[in-house]
Amino acid sequence: MSFDPAAITQLAKLACLNLPPDSLSQMGDDMSAIFGLIDTLQAVDTKGVAPLAHPLATIEELTLTCRADVAMATDIVGSLANASETENGLFLVPRVIE
Amino acid sequence: MSNAFLTIVQLAERVRTKQVSATELAKDGLAKANASADLNVFLHVDADLTLAEAKAADARIAAGETSALLGIPIAHKDIFVTRGWRTTAGSKMLANYVSPFDATVVEKLKLAGAVSLGKLNCDEFAMGSSNENSAFGAVKNPYDVSRIPGGSSGGSAAAVAAGIVPATTGTDTGGSLRQPAAMCGITAIKPTYGRVSRYGMVAFASSLDQAGPMAHTAHDCALLLDAMAGFDERDSTSLNSEKAKASILRAFSDNISSKRPPNGEFAHLRIGVPMEFFADGLNNEVACAVNAAIDTFKKGGATLVDISLPRTALSIPAYYVIAPAEASSNLSRFDGVRYGHRAAEYTDLNSMISNSRSEGFGHEVKRRILTGAYVLSHGYFDAYYLQAQRVRRLIAQDFQAAFQQCDLIMGPVAPTTAWKIGEKSTDPTAMYLEDIFTLGVSLAGLPGMSVPCGLDKNNLPIGLQIIGNYFDEARMLSEAHRFQQLTDWLNSK
């Protein structure tokens, strides 16, 4: 797999990143080298092997636990304090609808 | 005798016998942090916050409370969110972030009486093996300041190695506790995945991330891990089984106090030595030190078993698919709205988000987000992400097959000792290959330790990796403790 500047630009767009034009070539080279490593996975015979997400599922049946569906006490002031813009206890974003 | 390089066990005795107070230890630690500023270990120190915690610990001591961690100064990797201290995750994205709550690990250690000295430098979002990816500059290895301390918990390892604090917290996604511990000559353990709550750890790769302690000795790590571990309903992957809930410290104490014959203290132990860990690419001095360490166990009566972990090399591509995939998903929360950097210039909501992310994230983080976005994208998900998860299962099964033949697995932590700052920073794949011996353990969710076992000709530390089966932390720690009673690598600095 190799990545040219156009492929990197498209990927960056999907990931909500703007990359400076003069960095696209280097990023493409880096990604091509990384996928040179990653592509060795394709040769592995995994027929009949189920994907493993939680590692302990190797040895036991797992049920991920969810806490009770009740609101936890939240420090509203502390949470809002980290936002760049707030108003009346709400997070502000640029206007979406004119 | 100064308090530098004393273990938690030694300091706790001084605290218990009133030779030193928590406040005195905290002031001493703050002074050392200040004196070691050139190592770039700390990202945030706040003496008032630390001394307030120390005062509270002294009040508990005065009220007659005793516990191993009461009044002991520690410091946290800047991946754990903390009230009061900033939490940056080593990123410009979170340069000014102050959490409204403490991570479970932070909360538990505070409850045990440990006093926090502040937040420690790390690779940005824990992505790195050298601590050069921090937006706040590289950390220097106390053994040789021209070299890296390892990563991503590099600040945590260097703080202990420099004698600033006796213990720190760290996290391990692909080796980030074990590798810096090896390169800084200290002890660390990554527990079984799910033993320690991830709540309040800034997420990198959720199916791999696991917190653990770093300290001088295995005994200290046992004290810390016991305090950190436990079920937490706020982390859906936290384990609540009987095995997961069993006391690590009680089993550790039972193990180390059990009588064993002199020169036969390891007679009950079968040690698996994977041939793939001693193949081409392993530095000769590292191989010699690790073999000598394994020989110490053999002389104590342990049986060595040749084992194979045939997919060791595949752990690198499997990890570098799964971890970036999960990272690209986790890091999508950084949009400049609720927290994190917001760009000063933008034209609309979309450009605000992409400009903020582009300015806030560093190069390696962007590289991993792009890798993750690609392997998760339509048409490639099955070929890359699911294939990596299938290989992950095969790797985990290889370890289970190996544990049919042995009790613990031993080998090197890293192929080399600490390299020069800048030496590998322009070649991402060269850096990734350094993780070869730690990634499989992470993918399998197994516990893994790093124990100091030697120095190379440049006086740089070498680590022995001890891998246990799930929930076998107490055995790993107690056998490491016995090894540390027989050897003197702890005092090599």
Side-chain angles (χ1 to χ4, degrees):
Chain A
M1 180 63 62
S2 67
F3 294 85
D4 60 22
I8 294 294
T9 303
Q10 174 61 15
L11 203 52
K13 190 179 166 197
L14 293 173
C16 290
L17 291 170
N18 303 324
L19 299 182
D22 61 359
S23 72
L24 296 176
S25 177
Q26 181 62 52
M27 185 62 91
D29 291 347
D30 288 352
M31 294 277 291
S32 300
I34 291 167
F35 274 80
L37 207 64
I38 287 174
D39 279 335
T40 56
L41 285 177
Q42 305 308 323
V44 184
D45 181 5
T46 56
K47 201 174 174 191
V49 180
L52 179 68
H54 192 305
L56 268 78
T58 326
I59 55 159
E60 56 188 84
E61 285 289 316
L62 280 176
T63 313
L64 296 187
T65 50
C66 294
R67 66 179 177 84
D69 188 17
V70 287
M72 294 199 299
T74 306
D75 176 357
I76 303 284
V77 175
S79 298
L80 287 166
N82 285 297
S84 294
E85 285 188 76
T86 62
E87 193 176 288
N88 300 327
L90 301 168
F91 298 111
L92 278 191
V93 296
R95 182 181 294 275
V96 179
I97 302 167
E98 293 298 333
Chain B
M1 189 181 175
S2 90
N3 295 317
F5 300 104
L6 290 185
T7 66
I8 291 177
V9 172
Q10 291 166 326
L11 285 172
E13 179 61 13
R14 289 185 172 204
V15 170
R16 192 186 64 78
T17 55
K18 309 276 196 299
Q19 291 178 61
V20 68
S21 69
T23 300
E24 287 166 331
L25 285 178
K27 284 182 177 171
D28 186 36
L30 289 166
K32 282 188 268 185
N34 192 38
S36 306
D38 58 327
L39 294 175
N40 199 26
V41 160
F42 278 91
L43 291 181
H44 193 193
V45 173
D46 185 320
D48 290 342
L49 288 172
T50 296
L51 293 176
E53 285 197 3
K55 193 177 167 191
D58 278 330
R60 287 167 65 176
I61 295 163
E65 196 178 326
T66 55
S67 84
L69 300 181
L70 189 53
I72 303 296
I74 61 164
H76 295 292
K77 182 177 183 179
D78 206 17
I79 283 287
F80 297 95
V81 300
T82 42
R83 276 203 185 100
W85 287 274
R86 286 190 299 272
T87 301
T88 69
S91 180
K92 186 182 166 191
M93 178 62 87
L94 287 172
N96 299 308
Y97 179 74
V98 180
S99 171
F101 65 96
D102 280 330
T104 299
V105 162
V106 172
E107 198 175 64
K108 277 174 167 277
L109 288 170
K110 196 183 284 182
L111 205 64
V115 174
S116 175
L117 251 63
K119 305 299 288 295
L120 296 162
N121 205 344
C122 58
D123 282 302
E124 185 175 4
F125 291 102
M127 296 178 194
S129 308
S130 66
N131 219 130
E132 293 165 287
N133 292 336
S134 169
F136 307 102
V139 173
K140 295 171 182 170
N141 191 319
Y143 277 81
D144 177 347
V145 294
S146 71
R147 292 176 187 269
I148 58 113
S152 65
S153 309
S156 300
V160 176
I164 300 169
V165 277
T168 55
T169 57
T171 60
D172 191 314
T173 303
S176 288
L177 278 159
R178 291 161 284 159
Q179 186 253 26
M183 292 190 170
C184 288
I186 64 164
T187 307
I189 181 165
K190 178 197 95 74
T192 303
Y193 179 80
R195 265 274 201 196
V196 175
S197 172
R198 295 180 300 108
Y199 183 71
M201 268 168 59
V202 177
F204 162 16
S206 302
S207 79
L208 296 156
D209 295 342
Q210 192 58 194
M214 308 181 98
H216 293 295
T217 67
H219 195 155
D220 285 359
C221 284
L223 294 169
L224 291 156
L225 182 57
D226 194 66
M228 293 163 74
F231 174 66
D232 181 5
E233 66 169 14
R234 295 169 297 186
D235 172 4
S236 67
T237 59
S238 174
L239 297 171
N240 198 20
S241 66
E242 289 306 313
K243 276 185 177 175
K245 285 192 289 191
S247 166
I248 293 165
L249 191 56
R250 193 175 311 130
F252 171 82
S253 301
D254 288 348
N255 284 359
I256 64 168
S257 58
S258 66
K259 283 266 179 229
R260 291 184 186 175
N263 303 321
E265 52 261 276
F266 301 118
H268 60 290
L269 201 61
R270 294 172 304 158
I271 297 172
V273 183
M275 63 173 99
E276 293 81 3
F277 281 33
F278 293 86
D280 290 348
L282 178 64
N283 173 281
N284 191 41
E285 289 180 273
V286 174
C288 286
V290 170
N291 278 322
I294 294 172
D295 204 43
T296 302
F297 286 92
K298 189 182 173 192
K299 283 180 183 149
T303 305
L304 302 191
V305 184
D306 290 330
I307 61 164
S308 176
L309 295 168
R311 296 176 182 87
T312 297
L314 286 171
S315 63
I316 299 174
Y319 177 87
Y320 280 101
V321 169
I322 293 168
E326 294 181 9
S328 75
S329 171
N330 277 323
L331 270 55
S332 66
R333 73 192 60 181
F334 294 100
D335 55 9
V337 177
R338 292 154 298 157
Y339 41 73
H341 175 74
R342 180 182 284 199
E345 291 180 18
Y346 49 84
T347 53
D348 56 16
L349 180 61
N350 285 337
S351 70
M352 188 275 281
I353 293 172
S354 46
N355 289 357
S356 300
R357 288 167 61 80
S358 304
E359 291 173 12
F361 291 138
H363 189 68
E364 177 65 20
V365 173
K366 287 177 188 164
R367 202 154 49 198
R368 295 204 193 190
I369 289 174
L370 293 180
T371 305
Y374 187 80
V375 300
L376 291 177
S377 61
H378 182 68
Y380 297 102
F381 178 79
D382 198 338
Y384 285 109
Y385 187 63
L386 288 184
Q387 175 70 352
Q389 283 194 321
R390 291 186 190 101
V391 172
R392 181 180 193 176
R393 183 178 292 278
L394 294 174
I395 289 168
Q397 287 172 347
D398 287 345
F399 276 103
Q400 287 313 299
F403 281 121
Q404 297 293 316
Q405 305 170 64
C406 62
D407 305 305
L408 297 175
I409 296 170
M410 293 190 192
V413 174
T416 64
T417 52
W419 57 87
K420 294 271 186 188
I421 292 171
E423 191 180 327
K424 297 184 183 181
S425 51
T426 55
D427 184 353
T429 49
M431 194 83 89
Y432 295 175
L433 293 171
E434 285 289 327
D435 303 333
I436 186 162
F437 303 133
T438 51
L439 294 178
V441 175
S442 296
L443 289 165
L446 291 165
M449 271 190 88
S450 180
V451 179
C453 72
L455 296 170
D456 73 3
K457 63 178 183 297
N458 295 318
N459 278 325
L460 297 170
I462 297 166
L464 168 73
Q465 185 169 207
I466 302 178
I467 303 164
N469 210 341
Y470 300 111
F471 308 111
D472 220 3
E473 289 87 345
R475 172 160 34 187
M476 296 158 64
L477 289 160
S478 55
E479 301 304 343
H481 170 78
R482 287 181 188 272
F483 173 77
Q484 291 182 330
Q485 301 303 301
L486 296 171
T487 56
D488 199 26
W489 298 113
L490 298 174
N491 303 315
S492 55
K493 187 165 186 298

